[in-house]
Amino acid sequence: MGPPEGAPRYSDIPNLGRAKDGARTPPLLSPPESKTPPTAKGKRHLSDNNMNVNGRGSEPVDASALSKALRQFEDAGKRREQTPTASPSRKRQRVYGDRFIPNRAGQDLQASYNLMHEDGSPATPSKSARRTPNHELHFQRTEEANRTFSNVLRSEMFDSTVPQALPQNISPTERDGSYASSSNGLPAPHLTPSTPHKNLFTFSASRHQSLSGHWTPSKTPHSRHGPNLDARSELYSLSPVKLNSQQMLLSPRKSPRAVPKVPYKVLDAPDLADDFYLNLVDWGSQNILAVGLGACVYMWNSESGRVTKLLELDHEDTVTSVSWIQRGSHLAVGTSRGLVQIWDVVHPRRLRTMTGHTARVGALAWNEHILTSGSRDRLIYHRDVRQPDQWMRKLVGHKQEVCGLKWNSDDGQLASGGNDNKLFVWDKLGTDPLHKWSEHGAAVKAIAWSPHQRGLLASGGGTADRRICFWNTIAPASSSAAAAAATYSSTAAFPSTFLSSNNDSSLAASPTPSNPYLLRSLDTGSQVCNLAWSRNSNELVSTHGYSQNQIVVWKYPSMQQVACLTGHTYRVLYLAMRPDGKVIVTGAGDETLRFWDAFKRKEPKDEGSAHGTVGGLGREGVIR
C-alpha cells in the first residue's frame, strides 16, 4: 500500500526545506560515495513538517518514490556505493595463553613423526635438494652428527617403540598396507593429510585413555609393590638421556676416512699442454711416471726421485699421448703427426714406429701384446706389436675425434669415447661395436672399468654434460635393479652428495633410465676429465675442469663424497695412479703435477709382502 494522499515524499525534501525557510537554499545531500541518508538536520525538518502537516508521526516511504530519488542521485554524477549483503568473515585467531598446553586430540604423534623426511630433524631443517658443497671439509662428520641426533630424538620420544620413517616414494595404497602391520602390534595410526614439519608436535590422544578422559597407565608402577632395585633405572641415572640413548651414543661407529687435503709433492711440468683431448701422463708397473711435455717425454722415478728425458721428437712434431704396457718396461707414444712409437725404457731406445693414422693420436690402450690407438681421424686401430704389420684391425664408428680408450682385460672388452658424445663398447677384436650409447651430452674422455665388479663401466662427459654414468656391459639390468639403483641420492650427497646431498642431496641421481644398460648417472656440476677406480676399495676418483677444477673421491655405489681436493688453478686434465693403488698424480694446464694420498693402502697378507718394492716407497719432499 502507498502512503496516504498528501504525505510528504522523500524526493520533495528540498521543497519542504525551501517552504519553511523561505530562502533559496541548496538541497542538503550526502557527500559523494556515501552510504548515509540525508543529514540529521534534514531529518528533524522532515519530522517537524510531518507533524505540522499531518499532525502525526512519520509514515512509510513509497518504494517507487525512493527508487526515483536514487536514480536522480546517480544521474547527478554521484555514484552510489553498493552495500555488501553480509559483513566480511574474519578468521578467528587462536588465542594462546602463558603456558603451553599441547592439544592431544589433534593427531597421532607417531603418524606425524613417520611423515617427516629423513632430513627433517631439528638438526637438519628441511631444504630444497642441492648439490653437496665442495669446500665443506667436515661435511661427513656433520651428516653423521645429524643422523645420530635424529636417532636419539626417536629413542627419547618413543622409548622402545621407535617408529621408522616411511619411504618417500611409496604410493598411498602401499603406504596403507605396509604401515598397517607395525612391529609393536599396535593398530595403524590414521595418516591425516597435513604438513609433516608443522604438525609434529600436535599431539594425539593417548592410547591408554579412560572414558572419563584421564590417562591411565598401561602397567602398574613398580613402586607400589616395593622399592625399585634396578641399578639401571632412570630413577638413579645422572644422564639427561635414557639408557637406550646412552648405549646408542657410546656404541662404536666407523669414522669417515680422513684424506689429506693438500698434495704431499708438487712437481713442475713446463709445457704441459692444456688440451682436453690429450693423454700425457701415465704411471707404469715399474713405478716410473711418464710425462709428455711438448716434443719430449720425461721419466720420473718414484723411488729415487730422478728425472730423465727418454725422447725428443722433431721440431714439427709433438707428443699427444703416452701409455705403459701392463707388465714390462715398454712405453707407447702417440704423436701429432699420426705416428705410434714403442720405446724400451730400461735400454732407452725406440723399438719401432707404426703408421696408419692421418691425424694426431690422442688415446692409447694396452691389452697384453695388443696396442690400440685412437686418433683425430676418427679411426681406431688394433696393433699386435709381435707382428710386422702396422695394424691388424680397423674400427670405424665414431664421427669425430677419439679421445678415450680403455681395455677391460678380464672380459676382453674395449670402451671408446669420442668428441661426438658417443660411448662404444667393442667385443675383443671385433670390428662391429657391441654397444652404442649416446646418453652423454658432451665429449666422452673419462672412461674406467671397475676392478671389483665384472662388466661395470664408468664414463664421464664434458662441459655440456658434466655427468658420471655407470653401465652394465654384460647384460641389461632388470627393471627392479635399475629402479633401485636410480633411488640413490648425491646430495649425498655430494655431495648429495657436489652430491647433495644432502644427500641431498646436492649431487642428484637420475630417474629410472630408459637405457637398460645404464645403471645410474650423477650430475657432478663440472666437466669430467678423468676417472679411475681404486684397486684396494670400492671407490673411484674423478678429476674436473670447468668450472671448479677439483678432484673428488667417491664411495661406490652410494656415490657419497669421501673427499674433495683442490689446488690446481686450471682444468685437471691428466690423472694416473701409482701401482700400489694408494697415490694418484694429477696434471693441469697450470704446468704442475700434484701427488695425493687419495686411497687406502692394501693390507698385506703377511709380513714379507709389506717390504715389497712398491709398498716400501717413502714420501719425497717437495722439490719445486
Side-chain angles (χ1 to χ4, degrees):
M1 294 177 61
E5 186 178 356
R9 297 186 180 182
Y10 193 81
S11 59
D12 298 333
I13 291 176
N15 298 330
L16 292 175
R18 188 164 50 248
K20 183 176 180 178
D21 297 337
R24 300 181 61 86
T25 58
L28 298 177
L29 299 178
S30 300
E33 299 183 359
S34 175
K35 304 177 186 179
T36 60
T39 59
K41 182 177 179 180
K43 288 185 178 181
R44 285 195 297 269
H45 286 212
L46 177 62
S47 178
D48 295 339
N49 292 332
N50 290 340
M51 293 295 294
N52 294 335
V53 174
N54 299 325
R56 61 173 182 262
S58 61
E59 295 293 337
V61 179
D62 187 7
S64 60
L66 179 59
S67 301
K68 182 178 179 181
L70 292 176
R71 283 196 300 270
Q72 292 177 355
F73 184 76
E74 292 179 354
D75 294 340
K78 300 179 179 180
R79 193 170 181 179
R80 178 175 57 91
E81 182 178 352
Q82 296 182 356
T83 304
T85 57
S87 59
S89 59
R90 296 180 58 188
K91 187 176 180 181
R92 191 172 184 179
Q93 297 182 353
R94 184 176 298 178
V95 179
Y96 295 93
D98 57 347
R99 293 190 304 169
F100 172 70
I101 303 177
N103 179 15
R104 299 186 179 276
Q107 187 178 358
D108 190 353
L109 178 60
Q110 287 194 344
S112 298
Y113 202 96
N114 279 279
L115 287 174
M116 291 182 62
H117 301 287
E118 284 297 324
D119 59 348
S121 64
T124 55
S126 175
K127 298 178 181 179
S128 58
R130 61 180 178 90
R131 191 172 290 112
T132 304
N134 302 324
H135 305 290
E136 192 170 331
L137 300 180
H138 304 290
F139 177 78
Q140 287 184 306
R141 292 185 175 89
T142 302
E143 290 300 308
E144 180 67 22
N146 291 341
R147 286 192 295 268
T148 303
F149 180 86
S150 298
N151 293 334
V152 173
L153 180 62
R154 282 197 186 103
S155 178
E156 290 296 305
M157 294 178 63
F158 301 103
D159 199 11
S160 59
T161 307
V162 181
Q164 300 298 326
L166 290 176
Q168 300 299 324
N169 57 348
I170 194 170
S171 62
T173 56
E174 294 174 350
R175 178 177 297 180
D176 296 338
S178 61
Y179 201 87
S181 58
S182 58
S183 59
N184 55 10
L186 296 175
H190 178 64
L191 297 180
T192 57
S194 58
T195 304
H197 304 287
K198 294 183 179 180
N199 292 328
L200 172 61
F201 292 104
T202 303
F203 298 97
S204 63
S206 173
R207 299 183 185 277
H208 306 285
Q209 193 171 10
S210 62
L211 296 177
S212 60
H214 299 287
W215 178 83
T216 56
S218 58
K219 295 182 179 180
T220 304
H222 295 283
S223 58
R224 295 184 181 180
H225 302 282
N228 191 341
L229 301 180
D230 186 3
R232 298 187 301 175
S233 174
E234 298 179 9
L235 297 175
Y236 311 111
S237 176
L238 299 179
S239 175
V241 296
K242 299 176 182 178
L243 178 62
N244 294 338
S245 301
Q246 297 179 38
Q247 294 175 349
M248 184 187 307
L249 293 173
L250 295 176
S251 61
R253 287 181 176 83
K254 185 177 180 181
S255 59
R257 181 166 62 89
V259 178
K261 301 298 180 181
V262 295
Y264 72 86
K265 178 184 288 296
V266 180
L267 296 179
D268 279 322
D271 298 330
L272 185 62
D274 184 21
D275 194 329
F276 176 80
Y277 302 98
L278 305 185
N279 294 272
L280 298 176
V281 178
D282 196 20
W283 209 326
S285 61
Q286 301 296 320
N287 206 23
I288 297 177
L289 183 69
V291 184
L293 302 177
C296 304
V297 174
Y298 290 89
M299 318 297 295
W300 179 76
N301 192 310
S302 177
E303 295 180 355
S304 63
R306 182 182 176 184
V307 178
T308 57
K309 184 168 72 172
L310 176 65
L311 63 93
E312 184 175 0
L313 302 175
D314 298 336
H315 65 280
E316 297 179 355
D317 205 356
T318 58
V319 177
T320 54
S321 58
V322 295
S323 180
W324 286 97
I325 194 171
Q326 284 116 327
R327 291 178 295 274
S329 58
H330 291 171
L331 179 70
V333 179
T335 71
S336 60
R337 298 173 60 183
L339 303 177
V340 178
Q341 299 181 0
I342 299 178
W343 286 74
D344 183 0
V345 177
V346 176
H347 309 89
R349 62 191 180 96
R350 185 178 62 189
L351 300 179
R352 63 181 301 183
T353 300
M354 293 178 286
T355 61
H357 290 294
T358 58
R360 69 180 184 185
V361 180
L364 294 169
W366 288 87
N367 185 18
E368 296 181 353
H369 56 275
I370 301 297
L371 174 61
T372 304
S373 60
S375 170
R376 190 181 238 175
D377 61 9
R378 304 170 293 177
L379 299 178
I380 299 175
Y381 285 112
H382 289 313
R383 310 172 189 270
D384 190 342
V385 296
R386 303 171 302 178
Q387 302 295 330
D389 299 333
Q390 296 296 322
W391 50 271
M392 55 184 299
R393 295 286 191 279
K394 180 171 70 172
L395 310 183
V396 180
H398 287 283
K399 302 302 181 183
Q400 294 189 36
E401 180 176 6
V402 179
C403 52
L405 283 176
K406 280 295 188 303
W407 271 102
N408 182 7
S409 301
D410 297 334
D411 297 321
Q413 291 182 337
L414 172 70
S416 64
N419 195 32
D420 54 359
N421 310 343
K422 299 295 191 298
L423 176 64
F424 290 172
V425 177
W426 312 78
D427 189 20
K428 299 180 175 61
L429 300 179
T431 57
D432 295 327
L434 183 64
H435 301 294
K436 295 181 180 181
W437 295 322
S438 57
E439 272 69 19
H440 285 289
V444 183
K445 175 192 176 185
I447 300 174
W449 292 93
S450 171
H452 311 289
Q453 184 174 344
R454 180 172 174 263
L456 178 58
L457 174 65
S459 61
T463 306
D465 183 68
R466 307 176 305 178
R467 293 186 304 158
I468 299 177
C469 295
F470 296 91
W471 311 85
N472 181 2
T473 63
I474 303 300
S478 61
S479 58
S480 59
T487 56
Y488 281 108
S489 171
S490 21
T491 251
F494 188 59
S496 66
T497 65
F498 296 129
L499 275 122
S500 276
S501 197
N502 120 93
N503 279 359
D504 24 294
S505 187
S506 351
L507 318 152
S510 65
T512 304
S514 58
N515 190 330
Y517 294 93
L518 177 60
L519 299 177
R520 65 168 300 182
S521 63
L522 182 72
D523 186 357
T524 62
S526 59
Q527 179 187 40
V528 183
C529 300
N530 294 278
L531 288 170
W533 290 87
S534 170
R535 298 186 177 96
N536 308 326
S537 60
N538 202 13
E539 297 175 339
L540 74 158
V541 60
S542 60
T543 67
H544 299 269
Y546 302 125
S547 60
Q548 302 177 28
N549 306 328
Q550 76 276 23
I551 304 146
V552 183
V553 180
W554 306 88
K555 183 69 176 178
Y556 187 83
S558 63
M559 290 307 289
Q560 292 182 350
Q561 184 186 123
V562 178
C564 180
L565 312 175
T566 57
H568 285 289
T569 56
Y570 281 70
R571 296 181 295 173
V572 188
L573 300 175
Y574 310 109
L575 171 68
M577 184 180 297
R578 201 166 70 179
D580 63 353
K582 182 176 183 292
V583 175
I584 61 171
V585 58
T586 57
D590 55 10
E591 298 184 348
T592 62
L593 297 175
R594 298 173 185 263
F595 296 79
W596 312 82
D597 279 325
F599 299 113
K600 297 182 292 185
R601 187 190 302 272
K602 188 175 183 179
E603 297 295 335
K605 296 182 179 180
D606 51 24
E607 296 182 359
S609 62
H611 302 285
T613 304
V614 176
L617 294 179
R619 291 185 175 182
E620 295 80 16
V622 177
I623 63 175
R624 179 182 169 116

